Amino acid sequence: MDERLYRSLARRGQLVKLDISAHGLDIHPLEQPYDFPSLQFLTLRGSLQKLTNVFPTLLACSLLIVSIEVQDDSSRPEGDYGSLFHALQFPSLQRLAVYSTFMGPGSHPVSAKDTFPFLSHLVELRLFSLHINAETPTVEDAAIASIAPYWTRLERLFITGITALAALPTTQSLALMARHCPALMTLILTIDPTTAPSTEIPLSNHGLETLDLHRTLIPYEIAARFVNNLRRLFPCADFVGGNWP
């Protein structure tokens, strides 16, 4: 990273918005991070490793919104999403969107169970949006369990890009969010409706407004029971999306 550039930007004490394309940057560890006290909006584009290296270089106590577009095209990609999420040391962060559509030899295997725990420190999040096309993406119940208790202020959760061929969360994950995320208003998530909950789905008065089941495949023989479980958890929600019989 050109330290002179960072220094000049940091001297602009009123800088509110920053958009960085990391493709052409030769990022090296800086001797010290630079303070951007007024920065509220940060957009980053580039390879996963380079994006991960950017975050330790800046301090931003007022940062509210981060948008990340991962654009890896190497046959040997470096970095991982766990390291990326761990580098997001911004306690004021309210909106985080991570977007990647690249799928091929340079795509990263994604296991939410191994990466979501690194998001648990972002307790002020109101929106988390994750779209990753990967060859073997997985979002298990354990991944949802690792973050739900910490996201009591979360209002919108969007997880897209996973398919029915991946390991999917079950109704148990929805029950966890109903219990731990009282502010949740909109949820987009593909789930596995065929796995029966390990315990009875509790009655809830959760105020979720929209549950978008995205690419969920609902077999005919379980559709009625599945809907009943959803209604027990989210009595006020509109159910949209999904492939119904």
Side-chain angles (χ1 to χ4, degrees), residues 65-137:
I65 299 175
V66 171
S67 178
I68 300 171
E69 186 172 341
V70 180
Q71 300 174 337
D72 273 313
D73 54 9
S74 169
S75 60
R76 291 185 176 181
E78 297 180 351
D80 62 86
Y81 284 92
S83 297
L84 176 69
F85 293 155
H86 180 68
L88 293 166
Q89 298 298 319
F90 307 110
S92 61
L93 194 64
Q94 295 185 9
R95 297 180 60 178
L96 172 62
V98 182
Y99 188 78
S100 173
T101 58
F102 181 78
M103 185 167 63
S107 63
H108 295 261
V110 180
S111 172
K113 181 176 64 176
D114 299 327
T115 57
F116 277 20
F118 292 102
L119 292 165
S120 61
H121 64 288
L122 300 176
V123 296
E124 295 295 327
L125 275 187
R126 270 57 163 187
L127 177 147
F128 177 54
S129 178
L130 175 68
H131 180 99
I132 297 178
N133 269 348
E135 295 176 341
T136 55

Side-chain angles (χ1 to χ4, degrees), residues 41-59:
F41 310 96
L42 176 63
T43 300
L44 293 172
R45 303 177 185 85
S47 71
L48 190 58
Q49 184 63 63
K50 287 190 175 183
L51 296 181
T52 302
N53 290 343
V54 166
F55 289 113
T57 68
L58 60 89
L59 301 174

Side-chain angles (χ1 to χ4, degrees), residues 192-214:
D192 173 13
T194 64
T195 301
S198 57
T199 59
E200 183 181 4
I201 294 297
L203 285 171
S204 167
N205 61 353
H206 197 284
L208 186 78
E209 295 178 351
T210 303
L211 173 59
D212 187 338
L213 296 169
H214 196 44

